[in-house]
Amino acid sequence: MTRTLPSLTTEAAALSVAGAGLRRYEMGPALIGAGADATVVIVEPGDDPGVSGVQDSTKVLLRGDAVPALHPRFEFRAALPIHLFARLDRGCLPLGTALCRGGSSTPAHFNHAELRLDQPLTREMLDAVRPVPAPGSVPTVDWVDHVETDPIRALESFVLGWFPAEEAEPAGEESTEGEPDDLPEALAGFYRVARLRPAIHRFRNPVLKQPQRTSGPLGGRLVFAAHGEGTRDWSIPWPPQELGEADPRVWLTEDPFSAGPETILEEEPLSRFLLQYTLYEAMNAALYQAWTYCIPAVRLAPLWSTLRPVPLSPFLPAYTAEKFFVAPGLLTTISSDENEAVVAFATLHRATLTPLLEHGFRWSRFDG
């Protein structure tokens, strides 16, 4: 059933909610009214992730020049309520009241705040104040055809299609002295495509720009990727165990700097592992994501007509086996057994997620 929007009001009427002694301020595009009864925030509509405005059904961001006088108004337990409005063509739409959940800690630097609405916005209200733009062109999934026969080609094709080209930077001055110059083709291929799409070196848990030699109970290793907090790393035997070995096995080492690190053999060889790893980190880095709560596995049935499986073994990044699926512009992982499943989606465009609402899943996060 379609629900109507609340009645619009004028800017003057919205600001009057603040009460007597009204003072007007601006923080970026937002207009803020401070009065004796309340603080009123009027934001501009639009889809601007990480910038001022409505972010999702519960979160609104303010960003702009510092306004020290407003700091007391946006403390976590501020004495006066915060009323939110969004400016539309014909007036201001009331969004409800909110609490400040984060912001600058000192008055002199108060230039941003994260507001959480007391009541989530309906879908109709969210579409009115944060309209979903058309996705435009989206990456294809043709690269999946090469996963089994040429995973290096599949990796390169995925990366070039998913990550936009960036303005070339001057060559770095980093020394490569002492680093191997005869890397396995899979790792050399990763570095080739990383020079074209440096975003893949900025993952939360990146493949290292220069592999690092180390040793341990299993002998010499070449560490090529590491967890951002240093709690695990991934390596291959070094020097190679077999002369000219093209696609070595990968070892995951837990707590590599402890006295007794645990080392586990990954299921996929290096070429296919690098594709697994890149898909997983690309999902983590995607601007728009959606995660379901645990749902009955039978609820997945409608997805099979739109999702294409990636022929890789389940990945174990967080101790849950996750299988990869893709659709144009969409990356998906599914962790499931015969009865239950958890699904995660990631995309470059918000509009790619929006059709998923039709499935009626319960979402722990939904950026569409």
Side-chain angles (χ1 to χ4, degrees):
M1 181 177 66
T2 302
R3 286 172 287 189
T4 58
L5 296 177
S7 299
L8 301 183
T9 187
T10 65
E11 178 184 296
L15 290 173
S16 71
V17 174
L22 176 69
R23 288 161 292 165
R24 298 165 60 112
Y25 302 91
E26 292 182 359
M27 183 177 287
L31 173 63
I32 301 172
D37 299 331
T39 302
V40 171
V41 177
I42 303 176
V43 298
E44 296 294 326
D47 183 35
D48 297 304
V51 185
S52 283
V54 175
Q55 304 295 298
D56 56 37
S57 62
T58 62
K59 184 168 70 174
V60 177
L61 291 183
L62 302 178
R63 293 187 184 276
D65 294 334
V67 187
L70 287 176
H71 184 265
R73 299 255 174 180
F74 291 93
E75 293 178 340
F76 176 60
R77 292 297 182 188
L80 297 176
I82 300 172
H83 292 262
L84 288 172
F85 295 81
R87 191 190 310 278
L88 302 183
D89 289 340
R90 298 183 179 181
C92 294
L93 178 68
L95 305 183
T97 56
L99 289 176
C100 185
R101 296 295 188 180
S104 307
S105 58
T106 59
H109 300 96
F110 183 70
N111 59 2
H112 71 278
E114 178 179 316
L115 308 179
R116 291 282 178 174
L117 287 159
D118 295 326
Q119 295 294 326
L121 301 178
T122 65
R123 188 70 211 185
E124 291 77 11
M125 292 178 68
L126 187 58
D127 287 341
V129 300
R130 195 217 57 189
V132 178
S137 61
V138 296
T140 68
V141 297
D142 296 344
W143 55 270
V144 178
D145 296 333
H146 308 295
V147 172
E148 294 187 299
T149 59
D150 192 348
I152 302 173
R153 179 180 177 185
L155 170 67
E156 293 176 343
S157 181
F158 165 70
V159 170
L160 293 176
W162 187 264
F163 296 95
E166 302 178 31
E167 187 174 341
E169 297 181 359
E173 301 296 328
E174 298 173 332
S175 171
T176 59
E177 183 178 355
E179 298 298 342
D181 55 7
D182 53 350
L183 292 172
E185 176 56 24
L187 202 51
F190 182 93
Y191 289 127
R192 283 197 302 271
V193 76
R195 287 191 286 272
L196 299 173
R197 299 293 189 270
I200 64 176
H201 273 314
R202 297 194 291 268
F203 288 153
R204 182 176 61 186
N205 303 312
V207 170
L208 304 178
K209 290 187 176 181
Q210 291 187 345
Q212 299 173 358
R213 292 180 176 181
T214 187
S215 60
L218 297 174
R221 323 295 301 163
L222 188 70
V223 176
F224 63 86
H227 190 280
E229 297 178 354
T231 57
R232 55 173 59 176
D233 64 35
W234 289 265
S235 62
I236 54 176
W238 200 263
Q241 294 177 335
E242 298 180 14
L243 186 63
E245 185 176 16
D247 206 10
R249 303 307 300 269
V250 176
W251 294 91
L252 163 63
T253 301
E254 300 279 1
D255 299 319
F257 301 107
S258 67
E262 179 183 4
T263 302
I264 306 167
L265 184 65
E266 290 281 358
E267 191 164 340
E268 297 286 8
L270 180 62
S271 60
R272 292 166 62 86
F273 173 82
L274 284 170
L275 177 58
Q276 273 186 326
Y277 194 87
T278 302
L279 289 172
Y280 180 74
E281 291 296 332
M283 289 195 67
N284 288 335
L287 190 58
Y288 303 107
Q289 302 185 33
W291 313 330
T292 70
Y293 286 105
C294 191
I295 59 176
V298 295
R299 296 286 306 279
L300 300 180
L303 294 176
W304 302 139
S305 63
T306 58
L307 294 179
R308 181 175 180 182
V310 181
L312 294 167
S313 59
F315 194 39
L316 298 168
Y319 310 105
T320 58
E322 297 181 346
K323 295 182 179 180
F324 290 103
F325 298 81
V326 294
L330 187 71
L331 299 179
T332 306
T333 59
I334 298 178
S335 177
S336 65
D337 57 25
E338 294 181 353
N339 300 312
E340 296 179 321
V342 176
V343 189
F345 302 92
T347 182
L348 304 175
H349 303 282
R350 193 189 299 281
T352 306
L353 293 179
T354 306
L356 296 173
L357 289 171
E358 298 175 3
H359 297 296
F361 298 142
R362 289 183 61 242
W363 303 100
S364 60
R365 172 178 175 178
F366 190 82
D367 295 336

